[in-house]
Amino acid sequence: MLKLENVKKQYDGFELDCSLEVKEGCVTGLVGKNGAGKSTVFKAVLGLIQTDGGSLRVFGKSPGELDKKDKQRIGVVLADSGFSGYLTVKDLVPVLEQLYTGFRREEFLEKCKKFRLPQDKKIKEFSTGMKRKLQVLAAISHGAGLLLLDEPTAGLDVVARDDLLELLREYMETEGRSILISSHISSDLEGFCDDIYMIDDGKIILHEETDVLLSDYAVLKATDEQYHVLDKSYILRYKKEGFGYSCLTDQRQFYQENYPELVIERGNIDELIMMMIRGERK
Amino acid sequence: MKALLIKDIHLLKSQKQFFGIVALMLVLFTVVQDNKSFAIIYVAMMFSILSMTTMGYDEYENGMCYLMTLPFSRKEYVQSKYVFGILSSFLGLTFSVIFAVAATVAKGGIYPWEELRDALLPCIMLITGTLSVSMPVQLKFGSEKSRVVFLSIYGIGFVAVYGVIQICRKADIRLSDMMSFVKDVLSTPWRLGLICVVVLIASYFLSVRIISRREF
């Protein structure tokens, strides 16, 4: 579906050098702190910026080669951009009808009603959450095969986030569809993605299947003495703490069996990000 | 392109106040002041900037970034803006001419063809000039910065004209001869039409080049 190989983009004080793949039928997450390069990845994939090197293929084509039909197969939500605020939902319907042959008018309007999006109000008067909902609804309204969702849940409350993720789960029930989704709310991704890429300072620092991430990764809490005798073969990162050391491992079971006295916390994605970014390599 | 034109028409619904003021000025200049030529030129000029207004709405809150992900090419976006600009300008022109003629007839007078022609020719030049200059400038610099660029262009234009006049005076070249030559060229409809088409096509290709290289 989507493949990036060493895609490079140079800005003042920032360089993107990214490789990732979104396979057919998979939901792939992209996590990282603000400014890590998530939006730059999305912009590169959508051909909104010119890349400085590497290979980028969407449906086997470079972004510049994508024609209208290819673009109709993509649904987009961008973190900092959307429909013109001077339009209303009612205005959007004929535009979307003209743009997408597969646009499902009734379903779109029904979902807008369900999410309480007023049809005659200008989009600029919508709350951030309402704007996000509208973008997601538009992205899934035309049977796209690939969704590119940059922070689709930003600005939403817990209930609205859950509703949107439910919509996306429904969307994934049709075979052959894929999603690349970024979010700074890791709990959204934990329960939704098949695999997760972690990006920091423009580079992918970790790629793992979500199940493996949640079952095999862990943070070990060791005192100074425990740390010095610890087998560090499977320690990915460590960080000096007041009590001793925090260590990130991808072999939780090994340490559980061999060091029963250690405090071992199952990794969640937030902790993983913290350790991967702030921790030191052994 | 149809989708983009529909979008632009919907965007203009926010311009009720603008249309109200233009209509008021048209009535004022045509009926009260009896300055029909000025009214026609004014309305055509106002309608010619509508395309740029819609570009400003497209850019609102970084909207261009999202717009460019939708299923049309950047070239089509530029095409839609030129088509919209030309159509809206001629709609304004037609409306103002019909109104001016109707107002004259209602008063029991006749609107002479020569007077109408003298109003239409500068109108066509102004519409062409406005579209040809402002489209690439706005695509390159965006709505905010383009205002400064337009002011600079007008400033440079003013200095250039002043410079030419001074040079002509020093070189003892009669400006009136030059002006009458330009007037002769432009007062022939097919020549004027040809010049306008060439200028618009050149501007269109420049705009396509600008948007193709632009990053969002």
Side-chain angles (χ1 to χ4, degrees):
Chain A
M1 276 278 183
L2 172 65
K3 195 169 186 181
L4 282 80
E5 284 177 304
N6 300 111
V7 170
K8 290 182 173 62
K9 179 68 186 174
Q10 187 96 40
Y11 290 115
D12 276 346
F14 175 81
E15 190 190 350
L16 179 79
D17 184 355
C18 175
S19 298
L20 67 81
E21 187 173 5
V22 180
K23 291 185 179 142
E24 196 176 311
C26 287
V27 180
T28 297
L30 185 61
V31 294
K33 58 182 182 174
N34 291 340
K38 301 189 293 291
S39 293
T40 309
V41 170
F42 280 89
K43 286 185 177 183
V45 171
L46 289 160
L48 295 170
I49 53 172
Q50 316 269 349
T51 52
D52 300 327
S55 154
L56 204 166
R57 313 299 285 177
V58 188
F59 306 131
K61 294 177 178 178
S62 71
E65 290 169 340
L66 294 176
D67 58 22
K68 264 192 230 179
K69 279 190 179 170
D70 296 321
K71 280 186 167 184
Q72 285 194 23
R73 294 169 64 199
I74 303 174
V76 179
V77 172
L78 293 179
D80 58 350
S81 177
F83 294 112
S84 173
Y86 288 88
L87 293 170
T88 63
V89 171
K90 218 180 207 174
D91 296 338
L92 278 182
V93 172
V95 178
L96 292 171
E97 259 174 339
Q98 284 297 325
L99 285 172
Y100 299 100
T101 46
F103 179 66
R104 296 183 295 269
R105 180 196 171 98
E106 297 311 319
E107 196 182 315
F108 174 73
L109 288 173
E110 200 178 294
K111 280 179 179 158
C112 283
K113 203 182 263 180
K114 186 185 161 194
F115 281 94
R116 293 180 184 170
L117 300 177
Q119 289 196 26
D120 294 312
K121 200 173 176 181
K122 280 187 183 154
I123 296 168
K124 66 175 180 163
E125 290 161 24
F126 282 18
S127 67
T128 314
M130 286 159 90
K131 286 180 189 168
R132 287 267 165 248
K133 286 177 198 172
L134 177 63
Q135 276 189 287
V136 174
L137 291 180
I140 62 169
S141 68
H142 49 89
L146 173 65
L147 292 189
L148 300 169
L149 312 174
D150 188 12
E151 298 277 2
T153 54
L156 296 182
D157 57 56
V158 187
V159 179
R161 258 168 39 211
D162 193 55
D163 286 345
L164 269 191
L165 290 172
E166 197 49 47
L167 266 181
L168 295 175
R169 281 190 194 99
E170 256 175 53
Y171 164 87
M172 283 305 289
E173 281 169 12
T174 305
E175 266 185 49
R177 289 178 169 177
S178 307
I179 299 178
L180 175 64
I181 180 172
S182 78
S183 177
H184 66 276
I185 304 162
S186 54
S187 59
D188 289 348
L189 301 184
E190 278 177 13
F192 183 54
C193 296
D194 297 300
D195 61 333
I196 288 176
Y197 285 86
M198 196 177 290
I199 189 168
D200 185 46
D201 204 17
K203 292 170 188 63
I204 299 293
I205 52 170
L206 181 79
H207 173 223
E208 195 61 86
E209 284 178 24
T210 315
D211 290 346
V212 175
L213 214 56
L214 297 176
S215 63
D216 294 357
Y217 282 66
V219 178
L220 317 176
K221 308 278 184 186
T223 61
D224 287 342
E225 295 77 36
Q226 286 171 327
Y227 179 75
H228 288 301
V229 294
L230 197 69
D231 180 348
K232 299 181 184 71
S233 307
Y234 307 110
I235 299 295
L236 302 174
R237 296 282 194 280
Y238 71 92
K239 201 171 86 175
K240 186 80 182 93
E241 308 273 15
F243 58 82
Y245 288 89
S246 283
C247 307
L248 177 71
T249 178
D250 58 353
Q251 297 290 332
R252 183 176 59 87
Q253 205 169 349
F254 171 82
Y255 289 100
Q256 216 160 19
E257 284 169 6
N258 294 294
Y259 300 91
E261 71 282 4
L262 273 179
V263 175
I264 299 176
E265 290 176 354
R266 272 175 185 269
N268 63 43
I269 294 174
D270 282 335
E271 259 184 300
L272 243 155
I273 294 174
M274 289 291 286
M275 285 302 293
M276 287 301 290
I277 293 171
R278 298 226 173 124
E280 291 175 52
R281 285 171 192 271
K282 70 176 170 73
Chain B
M1 198 198 327
K2 201 173 162 189
L4 291 167
L5 293 174
I6 293 171
K7 168 189 68 65
D8 286 348
I9 290 166
H10 283 300
L11 283 173
L12 286 186
K13 286 196 294 193
S14 312
Q15 290 290 302
K16 284 172 195 145
Q17 210 176 351
F18 168 87
F19 289 119
I21 291 169
V22 172
L24 188 72
M25 298 302 269
L26 177 64
V27 173
L28 194 74
F29 288 119
T30 313
V31 181
V32 182
Q33 296 223 323
D34 200 26
N35 193 345
K36 296 180 281 291
S37 301
F38 182 78
I40 290 169
I41 294 171
Y42 172 79
V43 174
M45 271 298 290
M46 289 294 107
F47 271 67
S48 71
I49 60 168
L50 284 178
S51 199
M52 270 65 75
T53 307
T54 62
M55 279 163 85
Y57 286 145
D58 288 344
E59 282 172 13
Y60 180 74
E61 289 185 344
N62 196 29
M64 280 292 273
C65 193
Y66 178 74
L67 196 61
M68 289 299 146
T69 68
L70 300 177
F72 55 80
S73 65
R74 294 183 178 200
K75 202 173 174 178
E76 268 180 280
Y77 179 77
V78 173
Q79 282 168 0
S80 77
K81 291 299 170 191
Y82 276 85
V83 168
F84 190 79
I86 292 166
L87 287 179
S88 57
S89 301
F90 281 93
L91 188 75
L93 194 60
T94 310
F95 176 69
S96 58
V97 168
I98 291 172
F99 186 83
V101 172
T104 314
V105 172
K107 277 191 198 170
I110 298 168
Y111 194 176
W113 160 245
E114 288 74 24
E115 199 183 323
L116 180 61
R117 189 195 59 196
D118 287 348
L120 286 178
L121 293 181
C123 259
I124 293 165
M125 283 196 294
L126 280 170
I127 290 168
T128 307
T130 308
L131 288 175
S132 305
V133 176
S134 51
M135 286 283 189
V137 168
Q138 193 150 341
L139 283 170
K140 174 81 181 168
F141 299 101
S143 299
E144 291 299 318
K145 281 186 196 166
S146 62
R147 284 177 200 157
V148 181
V149 177
F150 284 134
L151 282 176
S152 311
I153 289 172
Y154 290 132
I156 291 166
F158 180 77
V159 171
V161 169
Y162 181 77
V164 169
I165 292 169
Q166 293 305 316
I167 290 166
C168 286
R169 271 186 191 161
K170 283 191 179 168
D172 209 21
I173 299 168
R174 287 178 64 188
L175 267 172
S176 55
D177 290 349
M178 273 175 71
M179 289 307 289
S180 62
F181 172 74
V182 173
K183 207 177 167 186
D184 281 349
V185 171
L186 296 179
S187 60
T188 317
W190 73 266
R191 280 187 193 148
L192 176 67
L194 186 69
I195 291 169
C196 290
V197 169
V198 169
V199 170
L200 273 172
I201 289 174
S203 164
Y204 163 75
F205 280 112
L206 179 63
S207 295
V208 170
R209 200 179 149 89
I210 288 168
I211 203 162
S212 306
R213 292 176 174 192
R214 190 168 156 186
E215 296 199 332
F216 294 95

